[in-house]
Amino acid sequence: MKKILLVEDDALFNKTLTYNLISEGYDTVSVRNAGMADEALARTEYDLVLLDVNLPDGNGYDLCRIIKPEHPDTLVIFLTANDQESDQIRGYEVGAVDYITKPFSIGALLRKIRAMFAMLEHRRSAKELYDDGRLFLDFSEQTAALNGSSLTLSPLEYRMLYLFYKNPKQVLTRQRLLEKLWDAEENYVDEHTLTTLVSRIRGKIEAEGDTYIKTIYGMGYQWMGGERK
């Protein structure tokens, strides 16, 4: 479920828009000033921030400047009564992806949000990414991170993780893994190497009670996708 943070000081508009976003199926948190937005962002990663420019304790431009370096994957859309071209340019310069002038149709905003998320999902799938909010794996670029901290994985570890990524919840037998890893690397991977490889990957990606690789005794392994114990 996509997470949206709404930062809007107008109480009625905040309530109305929050209701519509939740009805659309988004996990939505609403706040009414920059200070509350800072607190919300410190607790949770959001996919999208809908940000009013004029806030009682500051302005949206300054808040966006803080958001983007710390949350580079979070999208920002400005909601504002300012319709000057210079204001729109300023919004894009601080990292926003769109700028919507009030008054606007809530239906049109929801369609825009749906289209934006659909475009991002298409790009993500095309790039062969795994991202559950904790573990990030970019198989195309061979980069990885856990809870925002960079991970170092070997080419063989990426290949094994890619096999799990392409076969979620399926039990991959040890024999199948051995065959696939041997074919991919053009060298011999034996039973001991396989066991060591799985153990090493678990040590790197499983933290704070997350289970990514489950051992199916007598058969092989199963990708659980960060299931919490």
Side-chain angles (χ1 to χ4, degrees):
M1 183 184 293
K2 296 296 186 184
K3 294 181 180 293
I4 295 178
L5 175 64
L6 171 62
V7 188
E8 168 60 58
D9 68 324
D10 183 287
L12 178 59
F13 185 58
N14 185 310
K15 186 175 181 179
T16 301
L17 191 49
T18 299
Y19 172 80
N20 280 274
L21 289 166
I22 291 173
S23 298
E24 191 74 7
Y26 299 117
D27 182 356
T28 306
V29 171
S30 62
V31 298
R32 294 178 58 187
N33 59 53
M36 294 172 69
D38 275 335
E39 292 175 6
L41 287 159
R43 291 192 299 268
T44 306
E45 286 287 334
Y46 291 92
D47 298 289
L48 171 65
V49 177
L50 296 173
L51 181 55
D52 190 10
V53 169
N54 299 309
L55 298 169
D57 57 345
N59 69 71
Y61 298 126
D62 291 337
L63 184 57
C64 188
R65 286 192 186 93
I66 296 170
I67 292 171
K68 292 309 293 183
E70 297 182 4
H71 310 274
D73 295 327
T74 298
L75 304 175
V76 176
I77 295 178
F78 279 118
L79 310 177
T80 178
N82 302 334
D83 60 358
Q84 297 294 317
E85 183 179 355
S86 58
D87 293 316
Q88 296 181 30
I89 292 171
R90 186 179 178 190
Y92 294 127
E93 285 177 344
V94 296
V97 296
D98 212 338
Y99 190 105
I100 300 176
T101 303
K102 300 175 184 176
F104 56 81
S105 160
I106 290 179
L109 174 63
L110 293 174
R111 287 194 296 273
K112 186 181 289 286
I113 291 171
R114 282 198 300 270
M116 191 170 295
F117 281 148
M119 177 186 68
L120 286 176
E121 287 302 319
H122 177 72
R123 287 181 180 175
R124 177 171 293 176
S125 62
K127 280 193 70 178
E128 299 278 47
L129 297 180
Y130 175 84
D131 187 359
D132 62 14
R134 302 186 299 279
L135 177 64
F136 171 81
L137 300 167
D138 184 335
F139 296 103
S140 302
E141 300 294 331
Q142 293 213 337
T143 57
L146 181 65
N147 296 322
S149 298
S150 179
L151 284 179
T152 300
L153 299 171
S154 70
L156 190 57
E157 288 168 341
Y158 276 111
R159 290 189 184 278
M160 173 171 272
L161 284 167
Y162 185 72
L163 289 173
F164 285 125
Y165 160 74
K166 297 297 286 185
N167 298 277
K169 299 293 185 180
Q170 294 183 33
V171 177
L172 298 181
T173 65
R174 293 179 65 86
Q175 185 59 37
R176 183 179 178 190
L177 287 169
L178 287 168
E179 290 171 356
K180 292 288 186 180
L181 293 171
W182 186 9
D183 290 345
E185 289 291 298
E186 297 182 353
N187 55 29
Y188 183 66
V189 178
D190 59 18
E191 289 274 350
H192 174 71
T193 302
L194 181 64
T195 301
T196 302
L197 184 61
V198 171
S199 177
R200 196 165 63 226
I201 290 173
R202 280 176 169 155
K204 292 179 179 181
I205 70 173
E206 295 187 349
E208 300 177 2
D210 297 334
T211 299
Y212 283 98
I213 302 173
K214 180 180 179 181
T215 300
I216 309 298
Y217 291 100
M219 295 183 65
Y221 303 95
Q222 183 180 23
W223 181 255
M224 304 304 293
E227 186 176 279
R228 292 280 167 123
K229 294 178 183 175

